[in-house]
Amino acid sequence: MEFKHRSVLLEETVNGLNIKPDGIYVDGTLGGGGHAYEICRRLGNKGSIVGIDQDEAAIEAAGIRLKDFGEKVTIVRSNYCEMKSVLQGLGIDKVDGIVLDLGVSSYQLDTAERGFSYREDAPLDMRMDRRQTMTARDIVNDYSEKDLYRVIRDYGEDKFAKNIAKHIVIEREKRSIETTGQLTEIIRGAIPMKFQKKSGHPAKRTFQAIRIELNRELDVLKNSLDEMIDLLNPGGRLCIITFHSLEDRIVKSAFKKNEDPCTCPKDFPVCVCGKVSKGSILTRKPILPSEEELEENSRSKSAKLRIFERK
Ligand SMILES: C[S@@+](CC[C@H](N)C(=O)[O-])C[C@H]1O[C@@H](n2cnc3c(N)ncnc32)[C@H](O)[C@@H]1O
């Protein structure tokens, strides 16, 4: 199957990096290499890029896409939370820009057997990194009702979370839940008919929630941002594209904390905590896709780009 993925906020993100032709850049979510390709095009002979992805299919696709750029490109299969050690392994201490384009690629969603999509019937998998042993099946069949409720409420923000968790537990007592189709049917049964027509596909939020839990998406993001900012050279930029409010909130608050980390009470005349700003937020409001992009690519609908510049 061909690796199809349309890069979101492509120009905005690559412009946002303010690329220096001889700089070192990192793409922490390489995917099909769409953003990386545009970065490579702006690099001179001394410039380079390290592309990281945890999915072997992405690594393969990006390798093909970027092959003409030769030694400028290094591709590593890893989680972006390991960025510092990946770079150390390559003898790189600091970089001039980092990009993250979060979530799953269209390729992952469209490949039925990866089990990400509620539109296809396939084994419940949802692993971005298939070296990991735990799958979505294990969450759906083994988590307690309370934990399922928490995951669907917190990561899916589904107002029927409690009922969905209850229905999952009732159904799995009859037979184990093995496929995306089975799970979708159970979710349908847990949401009142009149709400099913209103807000997108009824299974969308629960699938998102299970995927986030399985791949630890929010923890990984939260635990990586400070380190990424520390990896930047002065003037270096971190560009992050998020796809839902939970991710966006994490990025927004980490950027704020790095811009103004002072913890002194507001009425102190001078700072005594000694925490100094690491740089500034270049996007007071996030950058959103243009009307044209929204029309051409429905996946861009909830995308937001935020940019931080290191001091
Ligand atoms: C939206 S796609 C990126 C598409 C890419 N920017 C392009 O233009 O082709 C997200 C990619 O990030 C990868 N990914 C998500 N979270 C990751 C993580 N924590 N570490 C490494 N890769 C991750 C996914 O496997 C997926 O291939």
Side-chain angles (χ1 to χ4, degrees), residues 1-15:
M1 186 173 154
E2 195 191 339
F3 195 105
K4 276 202 189 125
H5 176 86
R6 215 181 190 146
S7 303
V8 170
L9 288 164
L10 182 57
E11 226 182 283
E12 294 84 344
T13 307
V14 178
N15 288 343

Side-chain angles (χ1 to χ4, degrees), residues 175-192:
R175 65 178 175 131
S176 66
I177 304 166
E178 300 290 335
T179 68
T180 51
Q182 258 178 292
L183 180 61
T184 301
E185 277 317 299
I186 294 167
I187 298 165
R188 278 190 199 282
I191 300 180

Side-chain angles (χ1 to χ4, degrees), residues 5 7 27-35 52-55 58 65 78-81 101-105 108 128 220 243 299:
H5 176 86
S7 303
D27 184 339
T29 55
L30 186 62
H35 287 94
I52 298 172
D53 203 295
Q54 56 184 339
D55 182 348
R65 180 94 181 260
S78 185
N79 194 301
Y80 67 69
C81 67
D101 171 19
L102 296 168
V104 278
S105 65
Q108 287 165 328
M128 285 195 204
V220 164
F243 288 89
R299 218 183 73 83

